[in-house]
Amino acid sequence: MSEKASQLNGPDHIGIIMDGNGRWAKSQGLSRIKGHRQGVETCRRIIEACQDLNIHYLTLYAFSAENWNRPEIEVNGLMELLALFLMEETRTLKKQKVRLHAIGRIEDLPSRTKAALKKAIKQTKDFDEWHLILALNYSSRNEVVDAAKAISQKAAEGKLNPENLDWETVSSHFYTDSLPDPDLVVRTSGETRLSNFLLMQSAYSELYFTATCWPDFTRAHLEEAIRSYHNRERRFGRTGEQLDVETGLSY
Ligand code: FPP
């Protein structure tokens, strides 16, 4: 989709930093893992809502490369939850015709989670209208490092001339190669930072922050974020007047 079309009709791709599971759990007197479990229910709700709202791409930041630093019990709980989600949800994804993708250093995930992920990806690979992208063991900085390694390897083998490097070639080495950039990035729980999420891809994304914790995030909150998106003017470096001319709004 062109930049202009996505501005008029979008967002077509929403990225979500699902934050606040722990604080939500604490506020309810529950364990952190129960907060994550409730977060999984929100994922199900939002995947469905995206289809109703004609959002073709949804990227969920489910586990960052930095999340390995959490207590072992929480990391193991999250990996188990992910495996369960994938095993249970694949049937629904197939029914909804949603293609699953994963971005991040997938090979380093525990074998049970990785196996469930690969199976779900394989079983949904022929769908091409709706896309759910899970960012797992993901870090934008690692993504740049991995792309730089792949590019230098190709240069060393004479398969690529560094003189000809441009953004298209560089970004084709990112985990997100076949995916469009997010139009809108949402973060829940009141934090206002990107925490290593899609930093290159969100260069021109609109950002939306809400105080609502992820387990409490509903379709109505998503609609509110989309309304906010529609009130923005995405200029991609151009002037407001240029955009008016391009969209026929000049007088
Ligand atoms: C941030 O909340 C959330 C995470 C680190 C994990 C997100 C994972 C899920 C919602 C469940 C698994 C996902 C899928 C797609 C099945 P936090 O723990 O940092 O909350 P806090 O900042 O309040 O402590």
Side-chain angles (χ1 to χ4, degrees), residues 92-220:
T92 313
L93 293 179
K94 280 162 76 178
K95 212 155 71 190
Q96 295 168 324
K97 298 192 182 335
V98 175
R99 178 170 177 183
L100 182 72
H101 309 252
I103 54 172
R105 288 184 175 165
I106 303 306
E107 290 310 314
D108 297 339
L109 293 172
S111 51
R112 195 171 133 84
T113 311
K114 196 165 43 184
L117 184 65
K118 289 195 168 168
K119 193 169 170 193
I121 289 175
K122 196 170 167 203
Q123 290 191 3
T124 60
K125 71 176 176 31
D126 293 327
F127 300 128
D128 63 1
E129 187 176 6
W130 307 101
H131 301 263
L132 171 65
I133 303 109
L134 295 183
L136 292 166
N137 190 18
Y138 178 84
S139 140
S140 281
R141 289 180 176 177
N142 286 348
E143 185 171 36
V144 171
V145 170
D146 290 349
K149 280 187 190 163
I151 291 168
S152 16
Q153 182 69 34
K154 284 186 188 167
E157 290 167 1
K159 292 180 182 156
L160 183 153
N161 180 354
E163 282 298 315
N164 298 335
L165 265 187
D166 55 13
W167 176 247
E168 215 161 64
T169 313
V170 171
S171 60
S172 73
H173 290 80
F174 289 159
Y175 313 135
T176 49
D177 172 28
S178 62
L179 303 165
D181 288 344
D183 300 298
L184 174 66
V185 174
V186 172
R187 183 169 188 151
T188 58
S189 91
E191 309 293 354
T192 49
R193 53 179 174 269
L194 291 175
S195 299
N196 224 346
F197 179 62
L198 299 180
L199 296 186
M200 293 298 114
Q201 297 84 346
S202 64
Y204 287 98
S205 304
E206 296 300 324
L207 307 181
Y208 180 84
F209 301 102
T210 170
T212 305
C213 288
W214 181 245
D216 284 334
F217 193 81
T218 62
R219 179 198 175 106

Side-chain angles (χ1 to χ4, degrees), residues 1-10 183 229 234 236 238 242-248:
M1 179 179 285
S2 73
E3 287 167 359
K4 202 147 79 91
S6 94
Q7 179 194 357
L8 292 173
N9 308 317
D183 300 298
Y229 173 88
R234 301 186 78 194
F236 300 98
R238 296 188 287 265
Q242 282 176 301
L243 280 184
D244 287 348
V245 170
E246 285 173 27
T247 53

Side-chain angles (χ1 to χ4, degrees), residues 18-24 32 36-37 39-40 43 60-63 67 70 74 78 81-82 85 134 189 191 213-214:
M18 310 181 286
D19 198 7
N21 294 346
R23 273 162 288 163
W24 178 88
R32 292 183 60 82
H36 294 311
R37 232 176 256 157
V40 173
C43 294
L60 298 176
Y61 201 8
F63 194 86
N67 285 151
R70 294 191 172 206
E74 183 169 345
L78 270 169
L81 261 186
L82 270 163
F85 168 82
L134 295 183
S189 91
E191 309 293 354
C213 288
W214 181 245

